[in-house]
Amino acid sequence: QVQLVESGGGLVRPGGSLRLACVASRSIFSIVSMGWYRQAPEKERELVARITSGGSTMYADSVKGRFTISRDTAKNTVFLDMSSLKPEDTAVYYCHAYTPPSVYWGQGTQVTVSS
């Protein structure tokens, strides 16, 4: 079992920055991959960024060059640094962990980009 708790969401102006954090209830060292998904109103949940246990990262095309995923294994935490935020980044952001055969989700944190 892995419990995930997100934090760091909020209201930010276009062009601004936010840092999301996801704290896991146990060591993330051996978790195959962790990532961030988002879901905007009336849209499907989509992958934003992912980091593997080996440190490899991948990003959705829409966030490349603006978002950075990282992890601190000592703190069992995965971060999503978001910059140059756009209104279309507005969504609930969910932390995700994959450790076969199980998948875990956090409760989500709202990010709103608006002037």
Side-chain angles (χ1 to χ4, degrees), residues 2 9 13 19 23 29 32 36 38 46 52 54-55 58 66 68 82-84 95-96 98 103 105:
V2 181
R13 295 182 183 275
R19 170 176 254 206
V23 180
F29 185 78
V32 172
W36 291 92
R38 67 186 180 187
E46 62 175 357
T52 69
M58 69 83 65
R66 300 189 298 122
T68 302
M82 306 184 293
S83 62
S84 302
C95 183
H96 170 273
Y98 172 55
V103 171
W105 293 95

Side-chain angles (χ1 to χ4, degrees), residues 8-14 16-18 20 85 90 109-115:
L11 173 63
V12 62
R13 295 182 183 275
S17 300
L18 278 177
L20 305 183
L85 283 162
T90 295
T109 186
Q110 177 70 47
V111 172
T112 302
V113 185
S114 175
S115 54

